[in-house]
Amino acid sequence: MKRVEVGEAWTGVADCRHCVVRNAVLFAGLTEEDFSHLHRPIDQLSYSAGARIYDAGDPAQTLFTIRSGLVKLTQYLPDGTARIVRLLRKTDLFGLEAMIDEEYPHTATALRDTEVCRLPVDVVRTLSHNNSRLFNELMARWHKAVGTADRWITEFSTGSARDRVARLLLWLSEKEEDERCELFSREDLGALLGLTTETASRTMAELKRKGFISEPRPNQFLCDTPNLRRLVGL
Amino acid sequence: MKRVEVGEAWTGVADCRHCVVRNAVLFAGLTEEDFSHLHRPIDQLSYSAGARIYDAGDPAQTLFTIRSGLVKLTQYLPDGTARIVRLLRKTDLFGLEAMIDEEYPHTATALRDTEVCRLPVDVVRTLSHNNSRLFNELMARWHKAVGTADRWITEFSTGSARDRVARLLLWLSEKEEDERCELFSREDLGALLGLTTETASRTMAELKRKGFISEPRPNQFLCDTPNLRRLVGL
DNA sequence: CGGCGGAATTGACAATATTCAATGCGCTGT
DNA sequence: ACAGCGCATTGAATATTGTCAATTCCGCCG
């Protein structure tokens, strides 16, 4: 059996009050009193790398907050082409569409081992009606989603393969303290940038050859950010 | 003087209660009473084709509802490349970012003569706190913005030039009753699809030659939607 | 009516990306 | 240790797109 154990596991009931990422997540603004109105518990789940969290078209009943890990949202074209439209990490919220739609528009997949909190949509809806901080927080999350999607269009879907890869590397290292960034498969890299796997691979190889990036350990890259920046025109 | 008069003009105070597009716009759910709390009047403005409505970086103090016309939102890369990230028309809301940010992230430009209502952000904010229908409507608008941006990524930024143009034509005719669709400059077409002006032009010519579209009058196209659909794989 | 200016189109060539096939590399299970 | 598998890499040929420079088309103005 060469198949890695891939899947979903319930890992407990979240204790939001003492959550380690509490002040960075959706429920940051909630008071003791708000929590007391939560009859339904918030579940914590964990997904192993590669596991699907939900599929496009699944009934949308929960929002997810990421406690740790990395998640991709993929959208499919009628002809079967897949495009990764978002990448989410610690403290990010996804599945917001559940607030409005009956179905998820994307497929959500864990790219690494990932822990999430599952927030039932009716809980969020109810709370947001009485709590203006949560309301504002929600709005801010929508805003962030739009802003990220727009960057995806301008930065990751425009210009040459080299430009796109460079911008992605900069974006990834922007979110890390050092200039390290951990990458994923070349296939995902391609699906994210609208390129073929081969072009993604070749472009990475080229950047490595030219010294823009180095790979101290497999799939972990060190970026020469100043030069990368210059490469994409500041 | 060969320069066409291009610009902005104040055309009156909106009478939201009797607005012709009332039931389709942001304020659809407001009651008589809500309106009575509007001390500040809602202005109506009109922009001639080509006029800029706001620039990226401008202080964001109002949201806009389109009464008629067509507006593009453009985002710029540091190297100067421009990419059109959204196309908005009657009843669409834009400038939503004003709810959160200090500055507009895009440049908004009228592609045709366009009439808008200008909604001061503090009015919307205040109203939305007491009015849950407006609150829901706002959320729905964010949702729509995200959904559209995602389509932009998967449909207009993925695949060959021919596929992208075909998908755009289908998208445009989807919103018209018949299969007619009015197009804009080839330069804008390129900026929208992430292609050069020349490729945009050539691709249009090719589709015309092959009978997927015809051009009864300049820049007005009739689409053979069934065949276009087949072209992009349903 | 003729000329001017901006946009669209077209051509020729160069640059880039895709395709398909082959090979290499590392991990896992036996 | 080694076979087998999945993924990354590379090569070679092809297709697509970008670039740059004409040229044409069309509306507008004198």
Side-chain angles (χ1 to χ4, degrees):
Chain A
M1 170 144 314
K2 44 51 216 308
R3 167 163 294 283
V4 169
E5 217 50 46
V6 159
E8 170 186 279
W10 181 82
T11 58
V13 167
D15 179 6
C16 299
R17 277 165 264 236
H18 305 106
C19 172
V20 281
V21 287
R22 162 88 184 271
N23 58 4
V25 298
L26 186 67
F27 283 174
L30 294 200
T31 62
E32 240 357 91
E33 217 224 309
D34 295 320
F35 282 119
S36 70
H37 289 137
L38 284 181
H39 6 31
R40 194 174 315 195
I42 306 289
D43 288 320
Q44 269 180 226
L45 299 176
S46 120
Y47 293 87
S48 45
R52 257 180 295 111
I53 301 172
Y54 56 72
D55 258 321
D58 282 356
Q61 273 138 14
T62 54
L63 287 67
F64 296 85
T65 291
I66 303 184
R67 293 169 55 79
S68 70
L70 184 65
V71 171
K72 67 172 171 181
L73 300 186
T74 311
Q75 198 158 60
Y76 293 88
L77 282 167
D79 72 358
T81 337
R83 184 87 200 251
I84 297 176
V85 298
R86 223 138 314 148
L87 227 42
L88 304 153
R89 37 177 58 213
K90 197 196 291 186
T91 78
D92 283 337
L93 183 71
F94 67 98
L96 254 179
E97 294 83 3
M99 295 288 288
I100 309 276
D101 257 1
E102 298 296 312
E103 304 182 349
Y104 293 112
H106 313 111
T107 295
T109 314
L111 283 180
R112 310 192 196 129
D113 290 353
T114 296
E115 297 175 297
V116 302
C117 289
R118 189 164 63 179
L119 319 176
V121 66
D122 46 307
V123 167
V124 179
R125 253 199 286 257
T126 311
L127 282 176
S128 70
H129 277 303
N130 322 327
N131 184 304
S132 81
R133 283 200 59 178
L134 179 56
F135 164 75
N136 287 329
E137 190 60 43
L138 265 178
M139 188 107 89
R141 299 299 179 141
W142 281 110
H143 176 244
K144 188 176 176 188
V146 176
T148 312
D150 286 344
R151 283 190 77 171
W152 230 261
I153 301 171
T154 48
E155 299 193 25
F156 305 150
S157 308
T158 309
S160 69
R162 202 182 32 244
D163 290 356
R164 296 188 199 185
V165 172
R167 291 194 204 105
L168 178 64
L169 290 168
L170 285 170
W171 187 70
L172 288 173
S173 40
E174 179 182 292
K175 335 204 105 193
E176 308 290 345
E177 307 72 50
D178 41 19
E179 347 249 50
R180 281 211 345 260
C181 64
E182 193 156 346
L183 227 51
F184 22 85
S185 81
R186 294 303 124 98
E187 190 180 346
D188 282 338
L189 187 56
L192 200 158
L193 299 172
L195 304 168
T196 58
T197 309
E198 293 92 331
T199 305
S201 173
R202 275 187 247 270
T203 308
M204 286 297 289
E206 187 202 334
L207 289 179
K208 221 185 302 177
R209 240 182 301 117
K210 299 207 175 144
F212 290 100
I213 53 178
S214 59
E215 192 174 5
R217 51 179 62 208
N219 248 339
Q220 181 149 138
F221 295 88
L222 262 164
C223 303
D224 177 356
T225 43
N227 272 319
L228 279 174
R229 239 182 272 286
R230 211 160 302 133
L231 189 64
V232 300
L234 270 178
Chain B
M1 174 148 306
K2 60 10 234 322
R3 167 164 292 286
V4 169
E5 216 51 46
V6 159
E8 171 185 277
W10 181 82
T11 59
V13 168
D15 178 5
C16 298
R17 277 166 262 235
H18 305 105
C19 173
V20 281
V21 287
R22 162 89 185 271
N23 58 4
V25 298
L26 185 66
F27 283 174
L30 295 201
T31 62
E32 240 358 87
E33 218 224 307
D34 293 321
F35 282 120
S36 71
H37 290 136
L38 284 181
H39 5 32
R40 194 174 316 196
I42 307 288
D43 288 319
Q44 270 181 224
L45 299 176
S46 122
Y47 294 85
S48 44
R52 257 180 293 113
I53 301 172
Y54 57 71
D55 258 321
D58 283 355
Q61 274 138 13
T62 55
L63 287 67
F64 295 85
T65 290
I66 302 185
R67 294 169 53 78
S68 70
L70 185 64
V71 171
K72 67 172 172 184
L73 300 186
T74 312
Q75 198 160 61
Y76 294 88
L77 283 166
D79 72 358
T81 336
R83 183 88 200 250
I84 297 176
V85 298
R86 224 138 312 149
L87 227 41
L88 304 153
R89 35 175 58 212
K90 197 196 289 185
T91 76
D92 283 338
L93 185 71
F94 66 97
L96 255 177
E97 293 84 3
M99 295 289 288
I100 309 275
D101 257 0
E102 297 297 312
E103 303 181 350
Y104 293 113
H106 313 110
T107 295
T109 313
L111 282 180
R112 308 192 198 130
D113 290 354
T114 296
E115 296 175 297
V116 303
C117 289
R118 190 163 63 180
L119 318 176
V121 66
D122 46 307
V123 167
V124 179
R125 254 199 285 256
T126 311
L127 281 176
S128 70
H129 276 304
N130 321 327
N131 184 304
S132 83
R133 284 200 58 179
L134 179 56
F135 164 75
N136 286 328
E137 189 61 42
L138 263 178
M139 189 107 90
R141 299 297 179 141
W142 282 110
H143 176 246
K144 188 175 175 188
V146 175
T148 311
D150 286 344
R151 285 191 74 173
W152 231 262
I153 300 171
T154 48
E155 300 194 23
F156 305 149
S157 309
T158 309
S160 69
R162 202 181 33 246
D163 289 357
R164 297 188 198 185
V165 172
R167 291 195 204 104
L168 178 64
L169 289 167
L170 285 169
W171 187 70
L172 289 173
S173 41
E174 179 182 293
K175 335 205 105 193
E176 309 291 344
E177 308 71 51
D178 41 19
E179 347 249 49
R180 282 209 345 259
C181 65
E182 194 156 345
L183 226 53
F184 21 85
S185 80
R186 294 304 125 96
E187 190 179 346
D188 282 338
L189 187 58
L192 200 158
L193 299 172
L195 305 168
T196 58
T197 310
E198 292 92 332
T199 305
S201 174
R202 276 188 246 271
T203 309
M204 286 297 289
E206 187 203 335
L207 289 179
K208 221 185 302 179
R209 237 182 304 116
K210 299 205 175 147
F212 289 100
I213 54 178
S214 59
E215 192 174 5
R217 52 178 63 207
N219 248 338
Q220 182 150 134
F221 294 88
L222 261 164
C223 305
D224 178 355
T225 42
N227 271 319
L228 278 175
R229 241 182 272 284
R230 212 160 301 135
L231 189 63
V232 300
L234 269 175

